[in-house]
Each structure stands twice: as C-alpha cells, then as structure tokens.
Amino acid sequence: MPSHLFADRPAQPPEPGSVDALISQTRRLRGDVDAVRRDTVVDDDDAQGRWQRALCDLAVHHLDDLREHLGQLKEGLPPVPEAVAFPQAAPEIVPEAQTRVGSAEWNLLTDEVSWSDELFQIFGRSPESGAPPLDELGSTLFSEDQPLLTAWVTACLVDGRPIDGEFRIVRADGRVRTLHMRGEPVLDSDGCTASMWAVMRDVSELRRSQRAVRESRDSLQRQREIAQTEHRLAVELQEAVLPPWRGSLRLPHSDAGTLDVAAHYLPSATSALIGGDWYDALELPDGSSMLTVGDLTGHGVTATSGMAMMLGALRGMAMAGIAPGPLMGWLNQLLETSVQPALGSAVCCRYDPARRVLSWAQAGHPAPLLFRRGSGRALAPPEGVLLGATSGASYGQAEERLEVGDLLVLHTDGLTPRSIEFSRADGTERLLALAPRLTAARSAQDCVRLVVEEFGEGEREDDACVLVARVGE
C-alpha cells in the first residue's frame, strides 16, 4: 500500500494570493453570519427561532473550520521529521495554529509513539507524561466506543484499511470530547505494516451544534404537528359548540317581522389563533329573538370549551327575559369569576317583532351595521359603556326601529383585523361598501356568502364570525 503522501505525485502548492482571497471571503461571510445570529431573537416558546439560531451556530463552526484549513493550506506542509526512516514517504503531520487537530504515529517496529503538541492538548495530557501506546489508547475512550476503536485499528494493521470514524474520550480533567480520527498504515519496503499514522480532530462543538439543529428542528416539527392537531380539534370543537344550524334559519313562531338569519364561522389558518369566537340566534318565549356575536380572550381548546359554558349562560339569561344591557353585565361577571377565559368583546341584540324594535348592548365590540335601501351605516352606540361595577351591573343599551327589508350584520373583530394595512374603521368601510349588493341579495345566506367572498376564508390571521339577519314581513 503506498504512503498517504503519494511520493510519485508531488503536491503543487496553491498560489498565496488565491488562498488569501478565500480567507478574506470566509472572514467576511463569518461576520455576516454572526450578524444574522445576533439578530435572531429566541425565547423558550419559539421553536422556529431556536432552530434558526442553531443553524447559525452550526454555520459559524463550519466557517471557523474552513478558515482554519485555508490557513493550513497557506502555510504549506512542514518538513518531514528526520526520525522517520522508512523507504517510502513519511506520514503527514498536520500543523495546527489552534488545538482542535492533532497528529500521531505509532511505530510497530520500535514501539515508539509520536504525538503532536496539539494532540496532547486535545486529550488533556502533558507531554511529560508521554504518549500512550496504541494498545492503551482505548482506555481513554468511553466503554461503549472501545470495541469500535479496536476493530478499526485491527482492520487497519491487518487488512490495510484506512480509519475514518468518530469516538468519545474522557480527558484527565473529566471533560468529554468527541474526536474524528483518520488514519492509515505505513508500509515498509517489503509491503509489511511498519507504523500507523493518524490525524485526530476535536469535533465536539461541531457535533453539539449539529445536535442542536437536529433537536430544534425535531422540536419545531413536533410543535407544528401538535399545532395542527390542536387546530383541527379546536375547529371541530368550535363547530360542535356553535348552534347546529347552518345557512338560513327562519324563526318559525314569529307572526310579524320574521327574521331570516344566517351565520358563518371563519377559522384562522393557525392553531395559535383559534379562539372563542361565537354567534348565536335564538327565538325567545315572548316571541322576540336574540342575536349575538362575540369572542373570548385566549386561544385553543380552553377558549372553545369556555365558549360552550358562556353560550349556555347567555341563552339561559335571555330565556329568563333579561334585557341586553343587564345581560352583558351578568355575563361579564360570570366569566370574570370563573377559571375560563374572560370576555373579550360581544354585542347582544333583542328584536321585538311586534314593534320591530331592536334593543342592543355592546362590550368593546364593533356596533351592528344596518343596511337599508342600498346604503349602510353603523348603529349609534349606547350612551355610557358600563353603569356601575357591582353585582348585577348593567351595560348601556340602545334601541333602533327597523323596517321590512332591513338587513343587520353582526361580526367579530377578526373579520376586519386591525393591522398596518387595515384598521377597524377600514374594515367597516369595506363592509358598508357592500351595501348595494347586500340589500339586493335574495336571502341572508346569500349575504353571508358575499361577506365571506369579500374578506376571504383561507389563510386568515385570526378566526371570525359573521351573522346576518333580514327583517321579513
């Protein structure tokens, strides 16, 4: 087997200028990666941020290695030590400015062992203690890795196979390091193995960075899978909790001013923002009707399960004849004293078909929109937001007389999200701009379809509800 230096093919050193240019480029690239790493904000709950930071750390380690190897390339090979007297070229001793790469040679004929200073530093040994013979090298390894090194050395010395693998060592100071070893046998003039050389590189930090990337990537994947599952469960639960009707609902027992009602729930595209948005419509014992939309604080299954409790309480109070203003106060108090999410915002309406009067109250919520004969407007909010803060406190309540053909649109904040591009006012204006089409629509369900088409159902940042009620004869 020829020596690893291949004496018949002398190495051609690279041009110094080209290597210097590569070193400069690597240094600049390393600085750019450092800047990206500093700008990566990571917290305990941000799996994607941790993954990005781990990738930056790994890139830094690779660039440090590249710059180190280019520096070695620039310096060139050191002179061959005179102590090596084999007929073929001597094994390569890799010079290192840093301590992460060292070289070794074990002479099988004289039992001499030669270690570079860097290798002593890697193993945490003093040169005065001497380099261990080949058969004692395994004592520094993890017990699990010792058979692996034995098999590599045997294959190298007996079968002439090169060594290329990693093992873990325990230094004299107790620190655990991971080394990458590359080695080959060196043959004498008779083709027999005379010595074995090896280059060992401390890859502990590199492997640690790779593990961090792998673990953060796996964590991010698990988080996404959990989020997708939570998203699906939250949507299913939301749909199960919301009233069972879909599309148009005519409240059958109203003799006058019958309402044609339709509503729609628009889930968000991400599980983190599946919240407690609700809508409801209910015919009451006195012939009037309750209409309501709103949302709870919090997200996910907790908010959705809280919505089930809230809808039951809201329906119970409405069936007991409590007007919208007092009802909002009692509802808010109920949620504040429970372990469920708090009331985010809500609007509650009670429609009296005999008088065609709508009574309504709101809590931090967009006012209902009234569309009539091709135009629309937001109803004037009740005077006073909250009267008192004790048990049984009442929100302000307003009334609006309706006409046959009037159209009411109730919606949650998520339908018209407040962002850099759109404010709540912008969203309201977009809804009001639909007035000609909404008032010309044949049914409440057609109106809901128009609203959903305008604001989009897919890739939403937040979930939303919209309810439409048309006053019939």
Side-chain angles (χ1 to χ4, degrees):
M1 174 181 291
S3 166
H4 63 288
L5 290 181
F6 298 99
D8 59 332
R9 296 177 58 187
Q12 297 297 324
E15 293 293 332
S18 61
V19 177
D20 286 336
L22 288 174
I23 293 174
S24 298
Q25 293 175 16
T26 304
R27 186 181 297 111
R28 287 195 298 270
L29 183 57
R30 210 271 195 197
D32 292 341
V33 174
D34 259 340
V36 173
R37 182 170 58 170
R38 287 193 301 269
D39 294 340
T40 303
V41 179
V42 180
D43 55 53
D44 293 339
D45 298 326
D46 184 9
Q48 183 166 349
R50 293 197 304 272
W51 173 68
Q52 292 172 343
R53 181 61 182 264
L55 280 177
C56 288
D57 291 340
L58 180 59
V60 166
H61 283 304
H62 279 305
L63 290 171
D64 286 343
D65 286 341
L66 177 60
R67 187 170 60 178
E68 179 182 325
H69 297 157
L70 289 173
Q72 298 170 22
L73 183 63
K74 179 181 177 181
E75 293 176 9
L77 291 174
V80 176
E82 296 180 359
V84 180
F86 295 111
Q88 298 189 25
E92 177 182 3
I93 305 298
V94 180
E96 288 297 323
Q98 301 183 19
T99 62
R100 290 197 296 165
V101 180
S103 58
E105 182 179 357
W106 290 271
N107 190 318
L108 304 181
L109 303 180
T110 64
D111 291 331
E112 294 181 8
V113 182
S114 175
W115 274 24
S116 67
D117 292 341
E118 292 80 8
L119 193 59
F120 278 106
Q121 295 179 41
I122 290 175
F123 276 80
R125 297 171 62 98
S126 65
E128 291 75 16
S129 64
L134 193 57
D135 56 359
E136 294 181 11
L137 182 64
S139 63
T140 64
L141 272 65
F142 265 36
S143 58
E144 296 91 338
D145 295 347
Q146 290 175 3
L148 187 64
L149 180 63
T150 300
W152 290 345
V153 171
T154 301
C156 179
L157 299 179
V158 176
D159 301 326
R161 297 178 186 174
I163 297 174
D164 189 354
E166 294 182 7
F167 53 82
R168 295 163 297 171
I169 65 169
V170 181
R171 290 165 41 107
D173 57 10
R175 296 169 58 193
V176 176
R177 309 300 291 177
T178 300
L179 305 187
H180 184 184
M181 179 178 182
R182 296 193 63 184
E184 289 184 2
V186 177
L187 308 182
D188 59 16
S189 57
D190 297 326
C192 299
T193 301
S195 68
M196 190 185 84
W197 68 271
V199 173
M200 300 187 201
R201 177 186 176 204
D202 188 340
V203 293
S204 304
E205 300 302 325
L206 181 61
R207 296 297 175 257
R208 187 176 294 114
S209 293
Q210 290 174 334
R211 285 197 303 272
V213 170
R214 186 167 56 251
E215 290 169 359
S216 59
R217 181 192 60 211
D218 294 343
S219 174
L220 179 60
Q221 180 62 28
R222 288 193 299 271
Q223 189 179 74
R224 286 176 174 172
E225 291 173 354
I226 292 172
Q228 291 171 354
T229 301
E230 289 181 346
H231 181 272
R232 187 186 71 254
L233 292 176
V235 171
E236 292 174 354
L237 182 57
Q238 187 88 312
E239 293 177 346
V241 169
L242 287 174
W245 49 270
R246 292 291 184 271
S248 181
L249 171 70
R250 297 184 65 86
L251 302 178
H253 302 297
S254 299
D255 296 328
T258 301
L259 291 178
D260 177 22
V261 180
H264 191 74
Y265 169 68
L266 295 87
S268 73
T270 60
S271 63
L273 292 177
I274 290 292
D277 283 33
W278 81 80
Y279 60 79
D280 197 11
L282 179 67
E283 186 176 8
L284 303 175
D286 62 359
S288 61
S289 304
M290 179 197 71
L291 307 173
T292 180
V293 298
D295 64 86
L296 302 177
T297 59
H299 299 100
V301 175
T302 301
T304 308
S305 60
M307 182 181 64
M309 179 271 292
M310 183 277 310
L311 278 176
L314 191 151
R315 285 189 164 206
M317 287 186 284
M319 292 290 286
I322 300 177
L327 186 150
M328 292 295 298
W330 285 110
L331 182 63
N332 189 51
Q333 183 182 4
L334 171 67
L335 291 172
E336 285 184 349
T337 56
S338 69
V339 295
Q340 301 295 338
L343 181 65
S345 65
V347 60
C348 184
C349 305
R350 190 183 188 99
Y351 176 63
D352 181 356
R355 297 187 302 133
R356 289 203 175 96
V357 171
L358 181 76
S359 303
W360 68 282
Q362 65 181 152
H365 198 85
L369 303 181
L370 175 62
F371 295 86
R372 179 181 293 167
R373 291 188 289 274
S375 62
R377 62 180 174 87
L379 298 184
E383 293 185 4
V385 178
L386 179 63
L387 307 177
T390 60
S391 178
S394 175
Y395 281 74
Q397 182 172 303
E399 290 189 351
E400 185 80 23
R401 187 171 296 275
L402 303 182
E403 300 178 3
V404 174
D406 281 354
L407 192 72
L408 285 171
V409 175
L410 282 61
H411 66 88
T412 58
D413 260 339
L415 183 67
T416 57
R418 286 169 286 182
S419 63
I420 296 177
E421 293 80 8
F422 297 107
S423 65
R424 177 187 286 180
D426 294 332
T428 300
E429 291 301 320
R430 291 172 65 193
L431 276 170
L432 294 177
L434 296 175
R437 299 169 63 191
L438 290 174
T439 55
R442 294 177 299 177
S443 66
Q445 182 61 42
D446 288 340
C447 293
V448 167
R449 190 175 296 110
L450 288 172
V451 172
V452 172
E453 290 174 356
E454 171 67 20
F455 291 95
E457 191 166 11
E459 299 301 323
R460 301 184 56 79
E461 294 182 358
D462 203 349
D463 57 345
C465 288
V466 59
L467 182 146
V468 176
R470 182 190 292 277
V471 179
E473 300 191 12

